Amino acid sequence: MTTLRGALIGCGFFAVNQMHGWRDIDGASIVAICDRDPERLRIVGDQFGIERRYSDAAEMFAGETLDFVDIATTVGSHRPLVELAAANHIPVICQKPFAPTLADAKAMVKACAEAGVPLMVHENFRWQSPIQAVRAVLDSGEIGTPFFGRISFRSAYDVFSGQPYLATGKRFIIEDLGIHILDIARFLLGDVSSLTARTKRVNRSIAGEDVATMLMDHEAGATSVVDCSYATKLAVEPFPETLIEIDGSDGTIRLAQGYQLTVTGKSGTTVSDVSPALLSWASRPWHNIQESVVAIQRHWVDCLTKGVEPATSGADNLKTFALVEAAYGGAASREPVYLDSLLR
């Protein structure tokens, strides 16, 4: 099996998980890394034994023979880096948030399409094994046709200590976390026709919203509620679990705290533990996210090898990104937003 040669741009907080993932996967290897911060470059390079280190992405593209690039920088740099990769005809994985605006996201998708290179967004929540387990139940037909869903992420976990920039942006929970939860709703219940949203800032020391509630109509006929909070103090902290309720014509699915999956359907009721694996380099409570990083990267390698479009391609992710824009627009106007107008 040919090993794909990859490079990582951005050696910050989350990129370490991606480096661990690449080391675990057959068929791909990171051969070069890039970061403007020499200390971060040194730390990640030394930890993972990467000798080829760059402070400038253009120099890296000129100096390396690459099969793909993994962009793990902050959102403001995504468009120029994706367009640079496209200009060099290098397939791209881009971290979320994909872009500052939907217009930027469309431009990035267009640039890669015109260059004929694959583009995948690192939208990893749908790849968590508990979420995949819910999807498998839906695909089995056990609960019939879904008509209602609730996808919920409510926590008081301090995400700002590890990523302090999250406290400074005017947009916070929908852009950083809600995009994942909205993508899960799309993954489980299909594309969305309209969205209504409300937001709130409970923590007065941050600039953006830390609570969001969204009501969506799905094209297939289901209604869903997506609710996110970093201001919810509970007896047992659920971070970083996503909790799910789905009602169907023949039964229900409940993914509860502690990764307990209860299915009541045509065959009766079953209760199972769908806890994610604790990888050798992972740590609780992050292990569900860390496991999903490996899963999505393995999917990327498989897609590149077979020449097929990734499930979370740039083009597909425009539909998730449009939900983020709709949520902010709807929260400001306090009116429903229709998605077809955003995706034209």
Side-chain angles (χ1 to χ4, degrees), residues 62-80:
E64 299 292 334
T65 301
L66 300 172
D67 297 304
F68 70 91
V69 63
D70 185 353
I71 296 173
T73 56
T74 52
V75 64
S77 61
H78 286 176
R79 180 173 175 178

Side-chain angles (χ1 to χ4, degrees), residues 134-178:
V134 172
R135 178 58 190 258
V137 175
L138 289 171
D139 289 343
S140 75
E142 181 67 18
I143 71 159
T145 303
F147 62 83
F148 172 81
R150 182 186 179 196
I151 299 89
S152 180
F153 191 110
R154 309 191 72 82
S155 168
Y157 188 87
D158 178 15
V159 293
F160 307 109
S161 58
Q163 297 167 285
Y165 64 87
L166 293 176
T168 63
K170 292 183 178 179
R171 291 182 169 191
F172 170 42
I173 201 167
I174 298 175
E175 182 178 83
D176 185 70
L177 169 70

Side-chain angles (χ1 to χ4, degrees), residues 65-295:
T65 301
L66 300 172
D67 297 304
F68 70 91
V69 63
D70 185 353
I71 296 173
T73 56
T74 52
V75 64
S77 61
H78 286 176
R79 180 173 175 178
L81 288 171
V82 167
E83 290 179 341
L84 181 62
N88 284 275
H89 299 282
I90 304 298
V92 189
I93 304 175
C94 186
Q95 183 60 259
K96 64 86 207 166
F98 185 31
T101 68
L102 185 57
D104 285 313
K106 289 178 178 178
M108 293 153 69
V109 170
K110 181 180 178 184
C112 288
E114 290 179 346
V117 299
L119 168 63
M120 183 178 83
V121 180
H122 203 286
E123 195 62 67
N124 59 65
F125 270 44
R126 69 159 70 184
W127 292 96
Q128 293 175 16
S129 51
I131 309 301
Q132 291 286 320
V134 172
R135 178 58 190 258
V137 175
L138 289 171
D139 289 343
S140 75
E142 181 67 18
I143 71 159
T145 303
F147 62 83
F148 172 81
R150 182 186 179 196
I151 299 89
S152 180
F153 191 110
R154 309 191 72 82
S155 168
Y157 188 87
D158 178 15
V159 293
F160 307 109
S161 58
Q163 297 167 285
Y165 64 87
L166 293 176
T168 63
K170 292 183 178 179
R171 291 182 169 191
F172 170 42
I173 201 167
I174 298 175
E175 182 178 83
D176 185 70
L177 169 70
I179 188 168
H180 285 310
I181 313 307
L182 290 164
D183 187 67
I184 290 172
R186 276 192 62 229
F187 175 56
L188 297 178
L189 298 170
D191 288 332
V192 175
S193 56
S194 68
L195 181 152
T196 303
R198 298 292 184 268
T199 60
K200 188 177 293 292
R201 178 162 60 99
V202 176
N203 182 349
R204 308 309 293 181
S205 65
I206 67 172
E209 81 290 348
D210 53 2
V211 176
T213 307
M214 292 149 280
L215 174 68
M216 300 193 295
D217 292 311
H218 293 262
E219 293 176 0
T223 301
S224 71
V225 176
V226 171
D227 56 295
C228 306
S229 171
Y230 273 125
T232 300
K233 298 178 181 178
L234 297 162
V236 179
E237 173 58 63
F239 181 89
E241 295 183 46
T242 302
L243 308 184
I244 296 174
E245 303 174 10
I246 297 180
D247 295 355
S249 56
D250 295 308
T252 58
I253 302 170
R254 296 293 185 267
L255 178 61
Q257 192 168 339
Y259 303 110
Q260 178 179 281
L261 181 65
T262 302
V263 179
T264 298
K266 299 172 183 177
S267 305
T269 297
T270 60
V271 180
S272 55
D273 182 351
V274 291
S275 296
L278 180 63
L279 301 174
S280 61
W281 51 268
S283 58
R284 299 180 188 276
W286 297 93
H287 63 299
N288 69 335
I289 296 172
Q290 291 165 318
E291 182 206 34
S292 72
V293 168
V294 177

